[in-house]
Amino acid sequence: MPTGAQNVLMRAYAARHGLLFLAPIHEDFWVRRFALRSLLEQLSEIEGVIMTSLFAMPSDQEIRHAAFKRLYESGATLHCVIENLVVHDAASIDFAEEVYMANLTISQCPRSIPKNLLPPVNGYSSFSDKGP
């Protein structure tokens, strides 16, 4: 998603929830990783972080858990706009991790089932079959 569109989404989200929106995280991977680290170091000065998506969090589970832990310990919140998810306590961290991992699992699932593996339904061998 283009950075400009992300900014519009995050600003609108912040306005709807009465949050102050200061600056976006750039979409480039290395800049984003540095910016997240920088934000985590500033948690004593800010109330939280607004991200376009939970999936902008690091893909490395250990790094992601460390970021969640840092947010939790500081009392800050993580707002994930697209998922409409607020991470603010242990239960919401667990839920966010479940959503993240479910997405990884779904991405590895088959997209279709070969016709020869489909069971007949009411005498029809497929949706295009004329049936009995």
Side-chain angles (χ1 to χ4, degrees):
M1 177 182 296
T3 304
Q6 292 180 37
N7 291 343
V8 169
L9 285 174
M10 289 187 287
R11 285 183 195 284
Y13 178 92
R16 278 194 317 272
H17 296 284
L19 303 170
L20 177 63
F21 179 74
L22 295 177
I25 294 178
H26 192 278
E27 64 185 323
D28 176 79
F29 171 77
W30 293 109
V31 172
R32 184 176 65 215
R33 187 171 178 177
F34 174 77
L36 179 59
R37 183 177 297 143
S38 176
L39 282 172
L40 292 174
E41 291 171 0
Q42 298 174 25
L43 288 176
S44 62
E45 303 167 25
I46 60 176
E47 293 179 20
V49 177
I50 300 174
M51 296 180 113
T52 306
S53 174
L54 172 65
F55 302 102
M57 289 292 284
S59 58
D60 181 285
Q61 190 173 29
E62 192 174 310
I63 295 170
R64 192 172 57 254
H65 282 195
F68 283 144
K69 182 180 178 185
R70 191 93 180 256
L71 284 159
Y72 176 69
E73 289 173 350
S74 72
T77 57
L78 170 65
H79 295 262
C80 304
V81 175
I82 291 175
E83 296 81 16
N84 195 33
L85 178 66
V86 179
V87 179
H88 59 89
D89 60 14
S92 59
I93 289 171
D94 290 344
F95 181 72
E97 188 60 25
E98 285 178 29
V99 170
Y100 199 98
M101 296 307 291
N103 184 66
L104 291 178
T105 302
I106 289 170
S107 69
Q108 297 175 15
C109 292
R111 300 283 185 234
S112 62
I113 301 172
K115 283 187 175 186
N116 64 328
L117 296 178
L118 292 172
V121 178
N122 295 331
Y124 292 88
S125 61
S126 71
F127 288 107
S128 59
D129 186 24
K130 294 191 188 326

